[in-house]
Amino acid sequence: GELRSYLTGMWIPEEAVLKRPYAIQFNNYKYAASFQSGTSQAGILYEALVEGGITRLLGVSDSYSGDRLGPVRSSRHYFASIVDEYDAIYIHFGKTKYARAKLTALGINNLDGETGIGDTVFYRDKSIKAPHNAFTSVDRILKGIDKKDYKTTYRDSFEPHFSFYEEDTDLTSDTPVNKVTVGYSSYISPYLEYNATDKLYYRYQFGAPHKDTQNGEQLSFKNIIIWFVKESNIDHNGYQTMDFENASGSGYYITNGKMVPITWKKNESKKWMRFYDEAGQELTINPGKTYIALFPDNRTKGVKLE
């Protein structure tokens, strides 16, 4: 009655594996981060810059639960492109004009709080200042999916994004990594520290442990992937863009206290993206949760491995 999750490689109920995952756009503004709920449930958590040195998070999960997931914020077009790689249903509250165009071009099934589906899928916590107070729940997401008549199983052409080791595997590497600092900006200053006892990396931001208020847990990850991308301003408003629709580049894979260099290739039109090891083979990662940081490839020194 169980299969390996396409997102984590862990054994979970078969029905959870076979249904499409949800990709939630989490608010990561400092004020809003103190109310985050559901981030620890993400099998894969992406982070990327938006405007003004702030980052936004995208949590992809086949196992979301509970009645408080959020705060949810607006879409950016590069996150929409990532959602498409997983054939996920995208949950966000608003969007830029660039994201609107990307959602339409890729035909992504999405639940947007600024559309007629908003009151069905989202609610506001009035004890929190807007616009940082929009939350959803699994029941509300399911009602939205039903109203939009979205398919809940994967497209026929879908192929899982990652390959996983059968068992926990140490890297053959001479590069120890006990701390990873992802220097997006001085505003957020995120980093992850390795715990050799449980072999997980624990995340910090804004000078404190990054916790999920739903359960009080600090976010932790078995795998870290640093994905170097070509990034720049797309207009005078400071909106970012990433040149990765049909591109390739480099990065790092980090697990169990070690790092190996990797490469990547993405072809958006084929809904396809893969990471590769030093031998040019598709990257195999350890079972568990994964944190993926999209980081500007012209600032690679901003990622510090200690």
Side-chain angles (χ1 to χ4, degrees):
E2 291 187 327
L3 293 173
R4 284 187 180 272
S5 166
Y6 295 152
L7 303 179
T8 67
M10 307 293 286
W11 291 97
I12 64 172
E14 180 177 348
E15 60 269 20
V17 176
L18 298 179
K19 73 177 180 65
R20 297 171 68 191
Y22 306 146
I24 299 178
Q25 193 76 76
F26 286 100
N27 190 337
N28 203 40
Y29 185 70
K30 185 176 183 179
Y31 171 73
S34 61
F35 307 109
Q36 279 179 1
S37 182
T39 44
S40 66
Q41 297 184 40
I44 303 175
L45 188 72
Y46 285 85
E47 183 170 25
L49 281 165
V50 287
E51 307 80 60
I54 300 169
T55 64
R56 199 151 289 177
L57 305 174
L58 181 74
V60 187
S61 179
D62 49 22
S63 303
Y64 278 123
S65 63
D67 59 4
R68 187 177 173 88
L69 301 169
V72 182
R73 280 306 302 269
S74 55
S75 169
R76 298 294 181 268
H77 59 287
Y78 36 92
F79 283 117
S81 180
I82 292 168
V83 169
D84 204 34
E85 298 169 13
Y86 294 92
D87 195 23
I89 295 171
Y90 190 15
I91 294 93
H92 58 98
F93 204 106
K95 54 199 171 293
T96 63
K97 64 181 181 181
Y98 310 107
R100 181 185 298 110
K102 184 68 72 176
L103 291 167
T104 301
L106 298 178
I108 294 175
N109 291 165
N110 66 309
L111 301 174
D112 180 358
E114 289 190 345
T115 65
I117 206 75
D119 290 341
T120 299
V121 179
F122 298 92
Y123 66 92
R124 296 267 186 192
D125 182 341
K126 294 184 179 179
S127 69
I128 302 171
K129 292 184 293 186
H132 309 293
N133 62 350
F135 292 84
T136 186
S137 68
V138 170
D139 286 345
R140 286 172 173 267
I141 291 170
L142 289 171
K143 288 177 182 177
I145 290 170
D146 185 61
K147 276 196 169 186
K148 299 285 277 188
D149 196 27
Y150 288 151
K151 186 179 179 181
T152 57
T153 55
Y154 286 100
R155 59 178 178 255
D156 293 341
S157 61
F158 177 76
E159 295 181 1
H161 200 294
F162 288 105
S163 297
F164 295 93
Y165 291 114
E166 290 290 326
E167 299 178 351
D168 188 49
T169 301
D170 291 335
L171 296 176
T172 303
S173 169
D174 296 325
T175 308
V177 179
N178 293 304
K179 181 179 180 181
V180 182
T181 301
V182 191
Y184 287 115
S185 68
S186 58
Y187 171 77
I188 182 170
S189 302
Y191 64 93
L192 300 97
E193 287 190 339
Y194 183 57
N195 183 322
T197 301
D198 60 13
K199 303 178 82 171
L200 298 176
Y201 286 88
Y202 287 80
R203 193 174 189 277
Y204 297 77
Q205 63 176 12
F206 304 116
H210 186 179
K211 292 186 177 182
D212 183 335
T213 59
Q214 186 180 70
N215 52 26
E217 291 182 5
Q218 184 176 0
L219 271 59
S220 61
F221 302 91
K222 184 66 179 177
N223 307 296
I224 298 173
I225 292 176
I226 306 297
W227 181 4
F228 291 122
V229 298
K230 185 178 180 181
E231 181 174 359
S232 60
N233 286 356
I234 197 171
D235 61 20
H236 67 278
N237 295 311
Y239 289 128
Q240 302 296 292
T241 191
M242 298 182 188
D243 182 12
F244 68 174
E245 289 91 344
N246 187 20
S248 60
S250 63
Y252 304 136
Y253 171 52
I254 301 162
T255 190
N256 291 0
K258 296 289 184 68
M259 180 279 284
V260 291
I262 58 173
T263 57
W264 61 269
K265 294 179 182 179
K266 179 173 169 69
N267 187 325
E268 183 182 82
S269 64
K270 294 184 178 180
K271 305 178 184 293
W272 178 90
M273 187 273 169
R274 290 291 185 273
F275 295 101
Y276 298 91
D277 62 22
E278 291 180 283
Q281 302 299 311
E282 284 193 18
L283 183 68
T284 302
I285 64 175
N286 273 321
K289 295 177 182 177
T290 300
Y291 165 74
I292 301 178
L294 285 78
F295 198 85
D297 63 3
N298 63 347
R299 294 202 286 123
T300 57
K301 291 183 179 179
V303 177
K304 296 181 180 178
L305 308 180
E306 303 174 51

